[in-house]
Amino acid sequence: MAYYRGICNFCGTGCGHLLRVEGNRVRGVYPLSGHPLSRGRLCVRGWHIHELLQTEDRINQPLIKDQGCFRQVSLETAIDFVARKIKNISGREVAFLGSPRASNEENYLLGKFARSVIKTNNLSLSSDAGQEESARVLLEGCGWPAMTGSLAELRQADFILVVGGDLTKQNPIIASEIHYAHRAGAFLATISPRKTQMARLSQVHLRPRPGTIFYLLQGLARVLADDRKIDLDYLSRFTVNSQSFIDGLKLVEIDKVVEITGIEKEQIARLAGQLAESDSAYAFYPTGVQSLDSRTMAALFNLFLLAGKIGRRG
Ligand code: SF4
């Protein structure tokens, strides 16, 4: 029997775990106490992730379709088969799909193979459009297609905004860290039409009409501008074209935002004020089937830029 360290790849949190291996089988999973985020915890999915390895539906040998039926082949035969097929196809005719469940190393190799060997950029590592959109918004916004804050520092945050989704179900260990931050004094706000568990914990729960979160975020940005709570020093040091964006906010009419979203002016002003006054602020939004659309993600990103919160500690 041996124990191996690993990272749970069931969701994007990436909790640390220990795999108990007997022979060539993983027989158990245990939390890793020294992991900076999960700190010795796993959610129920993480505790049972090894069971997926034992399911009968799992494909653990290459299959080739022959006259309408799959037949099992050796790895060498499968590689030879794919290599012969791929030789006669140009880079334009082929696409590669990676998986967020695969390891970094595996996806790196897939990318190398696609780009360097087959000479194609038809490569996607996203499991759904929501993640790809999120990565694009972040890449355009700050040149880094992934989260900008540190989950390991989440407990030190003093403002946390959860927009849409249901974090407690989707990323339970992150939700647990938010609970800790909240207990330590962080101001917690949720923007979601649904009464999620995170919303119940929040000091402020804004419930805009479904499909109107974008307008509410624009309204928050307008209030920051009107109340002179935009961090102009931060914008001048770290952004370009911010003045034209601020000028564009004049087109956002707060009365119209109230009418569209159903959220009162005072509630919008309170949340904008809390964000502006915080030192360390986090925003969480879902990807996947509950994903926000890209303009809503961009509005959230721009709101945090205006308040000068991106790229700071936390
Ligand atoms: S939150 Fe659960 S599913 Fe996600 S990485 Fe951690 S243990 Fe795995």
Side-chain angles (χ1 to χ4, degrees):
M1 187 166 70
Y3 290 87
Y4 296 93
R5 283 170 179 233
I7 299 288
C8 176
N9 59 3
F10 208 108
C11 83
T13 308
C15 299
H17 63 196
L18 281 176
L19 300 177
R20 177 163 59 85
V21 178
E22 292 173 23
N24 64 355
R25 294 218 147 191
V26 181
R27 293 292 187 192
V29 178
Y30 303 96
L32 190 64
S33 59
H35 190 272
L37 172 68
S38 54
R39 305 173 203 234
R41 292 165 298 169
L42 293 173
C43 77
V44 67
R45 296 173 306 195
W47 276 104
H48 294 276
I49 195 167
H50 64 298
E51 292 170 14
L52 294 175
L53 296 171
Q54 328 292 349
T55 57
E56 287 181 6
D57 292 341
R58 186 163 175 255
I59 299 170
N60 53 17
Q61 202 170 341
L63 302 171
I64 289 180
K65 205 170 200 178
D66 200 3
Q67 296 177 349
C69 296
F70 283 113
R71 70 182 159 86
Q72 287 192 345
V73 295
S74 68
L75 195 55
E76 291 74 20
T77 306
I79 290 172
D80 190 50
F81 178 84
V82 173
R84 268 188 286 115
K85 290 268 177 198
I86 240 171
K87 252 187 209 161
N88 304 320
I89 295 173
S90 78
R92 287 167 153 227
E93 296 170 298
V94 66
F96 290 84
L97 293 177
S99 166
R101 303 276 180 266
S103 67
N104 282 345
E105 291 78 6
E106 286 163 339
N107 279 326
Y108 174 80
L109 279 177
L110 182 75
K112 269 278 178 210
F113 181 66
R115 294 203 170 99
S116 304
V117 181
I118 306 297
K119 312 278 186 221
T120 181
N121 282 326
N122 299 332
L123 171 71
S124 174
L125 296 181
S126 299
S127 59
D128 61 79
Q131 277 169 348
E132 203 163 299
E133 287 292 282
S134 171
R136 194 175 56 74
V137 167
L138 291 168
L139 187 63
E140 279 176 11
C142 64
W144 173 248
M147 69 179 294
T148 56
S150 161
L151 289 176
E153 293 170 4
L154 182 51
R155 291 189 192 187
Q156 281 95 57
D158 54 15
F159 178 95
I160 299 169
L161 176 61
V162 179
V163 183
D166 191 348
L167 205 54
T168 319
K169 290 189 180 136
Q170 290 166 313
N171 301 94
I173 298 296
I174 293 178
S176 166
E177 287 299 289
I178 292 177
H179 274 250
Y180 276 106
H182 180 59
R183 269 188 245 162
F187 183 89
L188 178 60
T190 295
I191 295 178
S192 171
R194 291 192 293 156
K195 209 169 186 175
T196 58
Q197 205 175 326
M198 203 45 69
R200 288 193 191 98
L201 187 71
S202 297
Q203 283 102 317
V204 167
H205 176 201
L206 301 186
R207 302 180 77 180
R209 296 191 178 98
T212 66
I213 291 178
F214 167 76
Y215 300 99
L216 179 56
L217 295 170
Q218 289 286 83
L220 287 162
R222 171 71 199 250
V223 170
L224 282 184
D226 287 352
D227 294 353
R228 301 186 186 284
K229 287 182 172 159
I230 287 178
D231 191 336
L232 293 172
D233 177 50
Y234 172 92
L235 291 182
S236 69
R237 284 192 293 146
F238 301 116
T239 67
V240 291
N241 298 330
S242 54
Q243 192 52 52
S244 64
F245 181 80
I246 294 169
D247 292 343
L249 287 174
K250 291 188 184 119
L251 298 173
V252 178
E253 296 172 31
I254 290 296
D255 288 339
K256 202 84 188 145
V257 171
V258 171
E259 188 188 319
I260 292 170
T261 63
I263 303 296
E264 297 299 328
K265 250 186 224 175
E266 297 70 28
Q267 292 175 295
I268 299 173
R270 183 183 174 208
L271 188 56
Q274 288 286 349
L275 170 62
E277 283 157 26
S278 64
D279 283 330
S280 167
Y282 281 75
F284 289 92
Y285 57 88
T287 54
V289 287
Q290 298 186 32
S291 174
L292 306 176
D293 59 65
S294 59
R295 73 172 183 162
T296 305
M297 290 185 225
L300 180 59
F301 184 85
N302 287 329
L303 176 68
F304 270 59
L305 270 187
L306 287 177
K309 306 304 177 200
I310 295 176
R312 285 190 172 175
R313 184 174 165 79

